[in-house]
Amino acid sequence: MNGLLRKLARRVVQKSNILSISCLVVCHVFILILAPLPHNRKGEASARMALKVVNLGFHSLSFVPSPKPLKDRLVLRSSKVEQISFTESENSLIESILGVQGRGRSSSSQQLNAIERAVQVLERLGGVPDPTKSNLIEGRWQLIFTTRPGTASPIQRTFVGVDFFSVFQEVYLRTNDPRVCNIVSFSDAIGELKVEAAASIEDGKRILFRFDRAAFSFKFLPFKVPYPVPFKLLGDEAKGWLDTTYLSNSGNLRISRGNKGTTFVLQKQTEPRQRLLTAISSGIGVKEAIDELISLKQNTGQEPELEEGEWQMMWNSQTVTDSWIENAVNGLMGKQIIRKNGRIKFLVEILLGLKFSMDGNFVKTSSRVYDVTMDDAAIVGGPFGYPLELKNKFILELLYSDEKLRVSRVSNNIIFVHIRTDDSR
């Protein structure tokens, strides 16, 4: 086991970057626990290996989240939620990122192009001049998107940026000890890894840094566990720089580019839709995040509509059955495709190119409420289809809907969260 973990760690060796966090922190912790390094190993070699493990960060695992649906029914509560304001250009970037899994790892070429265009627009606009000299850059930032270096290894692509973890950066430049800190929060119950660097301002955009300490803070221990990296032995490998190419006038959105060519998008306060998708990925706090989102829409007084397009089911409050076809008929998996003419389709990828398809129609009966009838089902493979005698009727109530995300409730009190997967909007 220990040999395998070391082999994996060696395959993902990368040089330092201030926004790099340990993608193999779990492997490295296991190495330390299962078989500590021999004392006769050269200190410098050990230090270089450890830092290279630390330096893999901020890129994300690209699974489509599929946590077990919650068994208990969702009870919606009303609360006052403050809307986060963005400029039109900033909102274009937020919209392009919304729904991208793994903070960017699973992005399609279309999504990456849209995000890069939105980033370039903001960089041209400039935002706050000389961001490193502004108080707005100070504080705790959450990573919401990052590009991947072309050299990312398969192990990096598997382990880094797991959606279950939250990734933050703290920037404090106006102190006697200027610092930039990268933080991986495993959970409120477990704790975090904090990797720190001494920082200095080179010019209005660039921060210079040098890694100098790191430690785990576990909730179940009364003391910190040092991350065993003797940074002083690493020389120039512990150094790097970070350019802030855009800082919003609100101080809530930041774009930075690291010395390894990676782009990072960070926010001080993530918006409710992002918090819901993060909750779904982690399986924690989904109900509260839905409450918050619905309350926000109620406060705006806007009437939600059943938006056209392809919508991927991300989460539901119903326990799935052992029968995939029953789950598919009930919309508990796959996509919904909404069309202009009141038509709706359920589409589920099965295997070997086969798909389950079920067509129907919907009619709006009152505010936010639709009658849905699904009555044309088939197993489809290429141009051929095998019809199935299946039918399903239900009432669909929209609790929240915009051009990117939808929360709905059907007649048997199941709550669904769907996100748009096409680029029709």
Side-chain angles (χ1 to χ4, degrees):
M1 176 67 175
N2 182 44
L4 175 61
L5 292 171
R6 292 190 186 285
K7 185 176 179 181
L8 293 179
R10 291 190 187 100
R11 292 179 59 189
V12 295
V13 165
Q14 298 288 331
K15 291 185 179 180
S16 66
N17 186 300
I18 187 59
L19 282 172
S20 296
I21 303 294
S22 173
C23 72
L24 291 181
V25 62
V26 177
C27 288
H28 195 67
V29 170
F30 286 164
I31 289 172
L32 295 175
I33 293 174
L34 297 176
L37 293 173
H39 293 294
N40 60 359
R41 183 163 296 182
K42 290 183 179 180
E44 182 173 352
S46 299
R48 292 182 186 279
M49 183 62 205
L51 182 65
K52 286 169 181 175
V53 173
V54 171
N55 283 336
L56 297 173
F58 263 28
H59 315 298
S60 299
L61 184 67
S62 70
F63 60 87
V64 174
S66 55
K68 291 183 179 180
L70 303 181
K71 294 182 180 181
D72 45 344
R73 301 301 183 193
L74 188 68
V75 179
L76 301 176
R77 300 180 299 276
S78 176
S79 61
K80 187 176 181 180
V81 182
E82 183 179 352
Q83 176 82 20
I84 302 172
S85 60
F86 298 102
T87 67
E88 184 177 347
S89 298
E90 290 168 355
N91 194 60
S92 294
L93 175 58
I94 298 301
E95 291 290 325
S96 64
I97 292 173
L98 191 69
V100 173
Q101 298 303 304
R103 288 185 283 268
R105 182 198 178 271
S106 63
S107 308
S108 67
S109 58
Q110 271 187 330
Q111 289 172 321
L112 285 176
N113 289 338
I115 293 169
E116 183 60 28
R117 285 195 301 270
V119 164
Q120 290 174 359
V121 167
L122 289 173
E123 288 178 330
R124 285 195 297 269
L125 291 173
V128 173
D130 296 329
T132 59
K133 299 176 182 178
S134 170
N135 289 330
L136 293 175
I137 201 171
E138 304 277 314
R140 185 179 178 96
W141 296 84
Q142 182 167 3
L143 180 75
I144 61 172
F145 174 82
T146 179
T147 57
R148 289 179 295 153
T151 56
S153 72
I155 303 302
Q156 278 181 273
R157 292 194 294 270
T158 301
F159 284 98
V160 291
V162 178
D163 273 342
F164 183 78
F165 304 147
S166 296
V167 184
F168 301 93
Q169 184 182 82
E170 291 180 349
V171 179
Y172 296 106
L173 303 176
R174 284 152 188 80
T175 69
N176 294 329
D177 182 24
R179 297 216 150 250
V180 176
C181 307
N182 296 323
I183 300 163
V184 177
S185 176
F186 306 118
S187 76
D188 290 339
I190 297 175
E192 65 182 29
L193 167 65
K194 188 172 188 177
V195 183
E196 299 188 39
S200 63
I201 297 173
E202 180 177 75
D203 56 35
K205 288 189 175 182
R206 179 162 295 185
I207 298 171
L208 303 176
F209 67 87
R210 182 186 180 100
F211 290 113
D212 61 1
R213 62 186 181 224
F216 294 94
S217 297
F218 295 116
K219 297 293 185 181
F220 49 84
L221 293 177
F223 53 86
K224 292 183 179 181
V225 179
Y227 193 71
V229 184
F231 292 100
K232 291 182 179 180
L233 297 178
L234 297 170
D236 289 343
E237 288 190 26
K239 298 178 181 179
W241 52 261
L242 180 72
D243 282 349
T244 294
T245 56
Y246 180 82
L247 177 62
S248 66
N249 290 298
S250 67
N252 190 52
L253 181 67
R254 174 161 65 95
I255 300 170
S256 292
R257 295 184 185 266
N259 55 294
K260 294 300 172 185
T262 307
T263 303
F264 308 97
V265 180
L266 308 100
Q267 282 185 267
K268 278 187 180 171
Q269 184 181 4
T270 55
E271 62 143 359
R273 292 178 303 173
Q274 292 167 323
R275 289 196 286 275
L276 172 56
L277 294 177
T278 299
I280 289 172
S281 295
S282 66
I284 300 172
V286 180
K287 293 182 179 182
E288 292 77 9
I290 290 177
D291 285 355
E292 179 185 20
L293 191 64
I294 293 172
S295 177
L296 174 64
K297 197 69 173 184
Q298 289 172 344
N299 290 340
T300 65
Q302 297 177 5
E303 177 82 3
E305 295 289 340
L306 196 56
E307 295 272 347
E308 299 169 43
E310 296 183 4
W311 296 82
Q312 177 71 43
M313 201 281 294
M314 302 293 289
W315 179 88
N316 69 78
S317 60
Q318 174 66 40
T319 303
V320 297
T321 69
D322 293 332
S323 168
W324 71 265
I325 196 164
E326 182 180 345
N327 297 329
V329 170
N330 290 324
L332 298 176
M333 57 197 300
K335 288 184 179 180
Q336 285 185 10
I337 301 174
I338 309 296
R339 299 192 175 98
K340 275 184 181 178
N341 55 0
R343 298 294 295 173
I344 181 172
K345 178 194 286 286
F346 292 170
L347 191 63
V348 179
E349 302 279 348
I350 307 174
L351 74 165
L352 302 176
L354 294 178
K355 300 178 181 179
F356 171 82
S357 174
M358 191 172 189
D359 285 87
N361 61 78
F362 62 89
V363 177
K364 188 171 185 177
T365 56
S366 63
S367 174
R368 303 185 302 163
V369 178
Y370 298 79
D371 280 346
V372 182
T373 301
M374 308 297 296
D375 56 9
D376 184 8
I379 302 293
V380 179
F384 305 102
Y386 180 78
L388 300 172
E389 292 293 329
L390 296 170
K391 193 169 184 178
N392 188 17
K393 288 187 175 183
F394 56 90
I395 296 172
L396 184 149
E397 179 186 4
L398 288 179
L399 303 176
Y400 175 92
S401 181
D402 60 31
E403 294 178 351
K404 293 287 290 186
L405 188 140
R406 186 178 79 210
V407 181
S408 59
R409 175 168 49 203
V410 299
S411 47
N412 52 357
N413 207 34
I414 302 175
I415 303 294
F416 289 90
V417 177
H418 287 83
I419 193 158
R420 183 190 295 277
T421 56
D422 63 348
D423 58 355
S424 60
R425 292 285 182 133

